[in-house]
Amino acid sequence: MTPRIIFAGDSCIVVEYGNSIDMEINARVQALRAEIESRRFSGFIETIPTYRSLAVCFDPLAAPPNLDKLLLEMAEIAGNTSTIGEEKRKLLIVPACYEGDFAPDIEKVAANAGITVDEVKRRHSARDCYCYMLGFVPGYSYLGGMDESLETPRLKEPRERIPSGSVAIGGKQTGIYPIESPGGWNLIGKTPLRMFDPLRTPAIFLEAGMWVRFVPIDTSEFERLAETAALPDWKPDIREEIVRKEVA
């Protein structure tokens, strides 16, 4: 897989892999991200991953004077980055309540799949989902790997206000609305976790490249966890697993 590397203005280099939403492509993006962040060349600011590309932002006044050389070095890193071998996988546990007002579209999802509401809950929480990227609003997660039978078209008319913490399905993907915002995905539940909190450090604890495991809870457990998640010393349940990844 030969990456395409371009300048995006005078303070950003973009490395592109492929043109689709694909685990192998995104694995390359995340491997490149880890390698560049470990090297942190002069003037480096941050990396921004997407489904298929990585933006590398830098201060042009502090970066190496020969940007063409930097471009060549970036191309070499991108071309040689390997995703084969054992590595740690971060897994975020997300409790989710699939009941009542939290799930106004769950019956629609069930009807579209030809299954019961209880089966929607079971299938949605049965697989770990992969966070391809964050976007739209701070901390909004685009999660892949959901059970294919739950694929549901987005709403024809988006809602103007969706509660923070809402768990939703849009096409083949699922995600969590981190703040109250407009949106066109189907709402099937809600998590008591605060996915974005500007007063917390870090404000966003879910990152691209992490995995998410939804755990069904009832409304009483939702209320209890909501109180706990609001405490100053609350920490998310993030686990590390050793996995072997092989990308051709």
Side-chain angles (χ1 to χ4, degrees), residues 48-90:
I48 305 173
T50 71
Y51 292 115
R52 63 179 188 89
S53 66
L54 185 74
V56 182
C57 303
F58 59 90
D59 180 351
L61 298 180
N66 189 339
L67 290 182
D68 287 338
K69 182 179 179 182
L70 179 61
L71 203 64
L72 289 173
E73 291 177 355
M74 199 72 66
E76 182 179 358
I77 297 172
N80 294 332
T81 299
S82 172
T83 60
I84 299 176
E86 288 190 347
E87 65 175 43
K88 291 181 179 180
R89 182 175 91 170
K90 288 187 176 182

Side-chain angles (χ1 to χ4, degrees), residues 214-236:
F214 291 101
V215 178
I217 58 174
D218 58 22
T219 52
S220 60
E221 181 71 358
F222 180 96
E223 293 174 0
R224 186 188 72 79
L225 291 176
E227 293 180 359
T228 302
L231 297 176
D233 59 348
W234 176 85
K235 299 293 183 183

